[in-house]
Amino acid sequence: MIRAEYLGDNPDIIAVFMGANDIIKIGADPGTFNAETYANVGTDITSSTVFVDAYSVMAKRLLSFYPDSDIYLFTIMYNGRVSSDLLDSYNDVIRGIANYSDSDNIHLVDL
Protein backbone atom coordinates (compact mmCIF):
# COMPACT_ATOMS: atom_id res chain seq x y z
CA MET A 1 0.00 0.00 0.00
CA ILE A 2 2.85 2.40 0.68
CA ARG A 3 3.97 2.02 -2.96
CA ALA A 4 0.90 4.03 -3.95
CA GLU A 5 2.67 7.16 -2.77
CA TYR A 6 5.67 6.69 -5.06
CA LEU A 7 4.30 6.35 -8.57
CA GLY A 8 5.84 9.58 -9.78
CA ASP A 9 4.32 12.95 -10.43
CA ASN A 10 0.83 12.66 -11.88
CA PRO A 11 1.08 9.48 -13.98
CA ASP A 12 -1.35 9.41 -16.89
CA ILE A 13 -2.37 5.79 -16.28
CA ILE A 14 -2.18 3.48 -13.28
CA ALA A 15 -2.85 -0.23 -13.87
CA VAL A 16 -3.83 -2.31 -10.83
CA PHE A 17 -3.63 -6.08 -10.99
CA MET A 18 -4.09 -6.90 -7.33
CA GLY A 19 -5.29 -10.09 -5.71
CA ALA A 20 -3.56 -12.88 -7.62
CA ASN A 21 -1.23 -13.70 -4.72
CA ASP A 22 -4.03 -13.33 -2.19
CA ILE A 23 -6.19 -15.87 -3.93
CA ILE A 24 -3.44 -18.40 -4.71
CA LYS A 25 -1.09 -18.34 -1.73
CA ILE A 26 -2.65 -16.52 1.15
CA GLY A 27 -6.22 -17.67 0.85
CA ALA A 28 -7.43 -14.35 2.22
CA ASP A 29 -11.14 -13.95 2.72
CA PRO A 30 -12.42 -11.95 -0.27
CA GLY A 31 -15.27 -10.47 1.74
CA THR A 32 -18.32 -9.04 0.02
CA PHE A 33 -18.54 -5.67 -1.66
CA ASN A 34 -21.05 -3.38 0.00
CA ALA A 35 -21.57 0.20 -1.23
CA GLU A 36 -22.24 1.56 2.26
CA THR A 37 -19.11 -0.02 3.70
CA TYR A 38 -17.03 1.23 0.76
CA ALA A 39 -18.35 4.76 1.23
CA ASN A 40 -17.17 4.71 4.85
CA VAL A 41 -13.71 3.25 4.24
CA GLY A 42 -10.95 5.79 4.69
CA THR A 43 -7.48 5.84 3.19
CA ASP A 44 -5.58 4.62 6.25
CA ILE A 45 -3.56 1.49 5.81
CA THR A 46 -5.31 -1.36 7.54
CA SER A 47 -4.05 -4.69 8.78
CA SER A 48 -7.29 -6.36 7.72
CA THR A 49 -6.97 -9.75 6.11
CA VAL A 50 -10.19 -9.27 4.17
CA PHE A 51 -9.51 -8.55 0.50
CA VAL A 52 -12.43 -6.14 0.04
CA ASP A 53 -11.09 -3.89 2.83
CA ALA A 54 -7.54 -3.82 1.48
CA TYR A 55 -8.68 -3.25 -2.11
CA SER A 56 -11.04 -0.46 -1.06
CA VAL A 57 -8.29 1.35 0.84
CA MET A 58 -5.89 0.93 -2.08
CA ALA A 59 -8.40 2.38 -4.58
CA LYS A 60 -9.18 5.35 -2.37
CA ARG A 61 -5.49 6.02 -1.71
CA LEU A 62 -4.70 6.02 -5.41
CA LEU A 63 -7.56 8.44 -6.05
CA SER A 64 -6.39 10.73 -3.26
CA PHE A 65 -2.73 10.75 -4.37
CA TYR A 66 -3.41 10.89 -8.11
CA PRO A 67 -6.81 12.55 -8.72
CA ASP A 68 -6.01 13.30 -12.37
CA SER A 69 -4.74 9.82 -13.32
CA ASP A 70 -6.83 7.19 -15.07
CA ILE A 71 -6.82 4.13 -12.80
CA TYR A 72 -7.56 0.76 -14.39
CA LEU A 73 -8.64 -2.05 -12.07
CA PHE A 74 -8.05 -5.47 -13.64
CA THR A 75 -9.99 -8.54 -12.57
CA ILE A 76 -8.01 -11.70 -11.85
CA MET A 77 -7.70 -14.19 -14.69
CA TYR A 78 -8.67 -17.80 -14.19
CA ASN A 79 -5.54 -19.93 -13.86
CA GLY A 80 -6.83 -23.38 -12.91
CA ARG A 81 -5.24 -23.25 -9.44
CA VAL A 82 -8.33 -22.06 -7.56
CA SER A 83 -12.03 -22.76 -7.83
CA SER A 84 -14.05 -20.61 -10.17
CA ASP A 85 -16.39 -19.77 -7.27
CA LEU A 86 -13.52 -18.31 -5.23
CA LEU A 87 -12.22 -16.43 -8.25
CA ASP A 88 -15.69 -15.03 -8.88
CA SER A 89 -15.85 -13.82 -5.26
CA TYR A 90 -12.60 -11.87 -5.65
CA ASN A 91 -13.60 -10.48 -9.04
CA ASP A 92 -17.00 -9.42 -7.70
CA VAL A 93 -15.17 -7.27 -5.15
CA ILE A 94 -13.07 -5.64 -7.88
CA ARG A 95 -16.13 -5.10 -10.10
CA GLY A 96 -18.10 -3.64 -7.21
CA ILE A 97 -15.41 -1.12 -6.33
CA ALA A 98 -14.86 -0.11 -9.96
CA ASN A 99 -18.57 0.23 -10.68
CA TYR A 100 -19.46 1.99 -7.44
CA SER A 101 -16.63 4.52 -7.43
CA ASP A 102 -17.91 8.04 -7.88
CA SER A 103 -14.77 8.95 -9.81
CA ASP A 104 -14.69 9.10 -13.60
CA ASN A 105 -11.02 8.12 -13.29
CA ILE A 106 -11.66 4.52 -12.13
CA HIS A 107 -12.07 2.03 -14.98
CA LEU A 108 -12.73 -1.72 -14.93
CA VAL A 109 -10.80 -4.11 -17.17
CA ASP A 110 -12.75 -7.35 -16.86
CA LEU A 111 -10.49 -10.17 -17.94
Side-chain angles (χ1 to χ4, degrees), residues 9-69:
D9 294 330
N10 301 316
D12 293 329
I13 295 173
I14 299 170
V16 177
F17 188 74
M18 180 176 158
N21 291 341
D22 299 84
I23 196 171
I24 293 170
K25 294 186 179 186
I26 300 171
D29 176 9
T32 303
F33 177 77
N34 176 299
E36 183 177 341
T37 302
Y38 178 77
N40 293 321
V41 168
T43 58
D44 291 333
I45 295 173
T46 177
S47 62
S48 175
T49 59
V50 180
F51 180 71
V52 67
D53 295 343
Y55 207 98
S56 297
V57 170
M58 176 276 308
K60 286 192 169 190
R61 285 178 67 90
L62 286 175
L63 283 170
S64 71
F65 288 128
Y66 308 104
D68 298 323
S69 298

Side-chain angles (χ1 to χ4, degrees), residues 31 80 99:
N99 292 328

